[in-house]
PDB file of all heavy atoms in Angstrom:
ATOM      1  N   GLU S  10      24.027 113.485  33.218  1.00 98.00           N
ATOM      2  CA  GLU S  10      23.413 112.857  32.027  1.00 98.00           C
ATOM      3  C   GLU S  10      22.525 113.890  31.332  1.00 98.00           C
ATOM      4  O   GLU S  10      21.707 114.555  31.988  1.00 98.00           O
ATOM      5  CB  GLU S  10      22.573 111.652  32.484  1.00 98.00           C
ATOM      6  CG  GLU S  10      21.661 111.044  31.449  1.00 98.00           C
ATOM      7  CD  GLU S  10      22.421 110.466  30.270  1.00 98.00           C
ATOM      8  OE1 GLU S  10      23.105 109.435  30.464  1.00 98.00           O
ATOM      9  OE2 GLU S  10      22.348 111.062  29.193  1.00 98.00           O
ATOM     10  N   ASP S  11      22.722 114.048  30.026  1.00 97.00           N
ATOM     11  CA  ASP S  11      21.944 115.068  29.315  1.00 97.00           C
ATOM     12  C   ASP S  11      20.628 114.532  28.752  1.00 97.00           C
ATOM     13  O   ASP S  11      19.783 115.310  28.324  1.00 97.00           O
ATOM     14  CB  ASP S  11      22.766 115.708  28.193  1.00 97.00           C
ATOM     15  CG  ASP S  11      23.293 114.692  27.209  1.00 97.00           C
ATOM     16  OD1 ASP S  11      23.763 113.626  27.668  1.00 97.00           O
ATOM     17  OD2 ASP S  11      23.245 114.943  25.994  1.00 97.00           O
ATOM     18  N   GLU S  12      20.454 113.198  28.733  1.00 96.00           N
ATOM     19  CA  GLU S  12      19.140 112.672  28.322  1.00 96.00           C
ATOM     20  C   GLU S  12      18.259 112.667  29.567  1.00 96.00           C
ATOM     21  O   GLU S  12      18.310 111.741  30.377  1.00 96.00           O
ATOM     22  CB  GLU S  12      19.281 111.256  27.770  1.00 96.00           C
ATOM     23  CG  GLU S  12      20.008 111.200  26.441  1.00 96.00           C
ATOM     24  CD  GLU S  12      20.328 109.756  26.057  1.00 96.00           C
ATOM     25  OE1 GLU S  12      19.408 108.908  26.086  1.00 96.00           O
ATOM     26  OE2 GLU S  12      21.501 109.477  25.756  1.00 96.00           O
ATOM     27  N   ASP S  54      27.936 110.291  32.201  1.00 96.00           N
ATOM     28  CA  ASP S  54      27.819 110.023  30.772  1.00 96.00           C
ATOM     29  C   ASP S  54      29.024 110.620  30.052  1.00 96.00           C
ATOM     30  O   ASP S  54      29.654 111.556  30.542  1.00 96.00           O
ATOM     31  CB  ASP S  54      26.515 110.656  30.246  1.00 96.00           C
ATOM     32  CG  ASP S  54      26.221 110.210  28.824  1.00 96.00           C
ATOM     33  OD1 ASP S  54      26.556 109.066  28.470  1.00 96.00           O
ATOM     34  OD2 ASP S  54      25.647 111.025  28.058  1.00 96.00           O
ATOM     35  N   MET S  56      29.200 111.571  26.449  1.00 94.00           N
ATOM     36  CA  MET S  56      28.837 112.664  25.540  1.00 94.00           C
ATOM     37  C   MET S  56      27.910 113.621  26.269  1.00 94.00           C
ATOM     38  O   MET S  56      26.751 113.294  26.539  1.00 94.00           O
ATOM     39  CB  MET S  56      28.129 112.104  24.303  1.00 94.00           C
ATOM     40  CG  MET S  56      29.003 111.213  23.459  1.00 94.00           C
ATOM     41  SD  MET S  56      30.233 112.155  22.544  1.00 94.00           S
ATOM     42  CE  MET S  56      29.183 112.813  21.236  1.00 94.00           C
ATOM     43  N   LEU S  57      28.442 114.790  26.585  1.00 96.00           N
ATOM     44  CA  LEU S  57      27.675 115.779  27.356  1.00 96.00           C
ATOM     45  C   LEU S  57      27.860 117.155  26.729  1.00 96.00           C
ATOM     46  O   LEU S  57      28.924 117.453  26.210  1.00 96.00           O
ATOM     47  CB  LEU S  57      28.208 115.856  28.794  1.00 96.00           C
ATOM     48  CG  LEU S  57      27.972 114.696  29.739  1.00 96.00           C
ATOM     49  CD1 LEU S  57      28.857 114.847  30.963  1.00 96.00           C
ATOM     50  CD2 LEU S  57      26.509 114.618  30.154  1.00 96.00           C
ATOM     51  N   LYS S 103      24.945 101.973  26.901  1.00 92.00           N
ATOM     52  CA  LYS S 103      23.534 102.253  26.637  1.00 92.00           C
ATOM     53  C   LYS S 103      23.093 101.482  25.402  1.00 92.00           C
ATOM     54  O   LYS S 103      23.900 101.295  24.502  1.00 92.00           O
ATOM     55  CB  LYS S 103      23.340 103.743  26.374  1.00 92.00           C
ATOM     56  CG  LYS S 103      23.579 104.630  27.557  1.00 92.00           C
ATOM     57  CD  LYS S 103      23.438 106.072  27.085  1.00 92.00           C
ATOM     58  CE  LYS S 103      23.695 107.041  28.209  1.00 92.00           C
ATOM     59  NZ  LYS S 103      23.677 108.417  27.718  1.00 92.00           N
TER      60      LYS S 103
HETATM   61 CA1   CA G   1      24.833 112.001  26.453  1.00 76.32          CA
END
Side-chain angles (χ1 to χ4, degrees):
E10 169 63 70
D11 56 317
E12 291 170 51
D54 190 33
M56 296 287 283
L57 290 166
K103 293 176 181 175

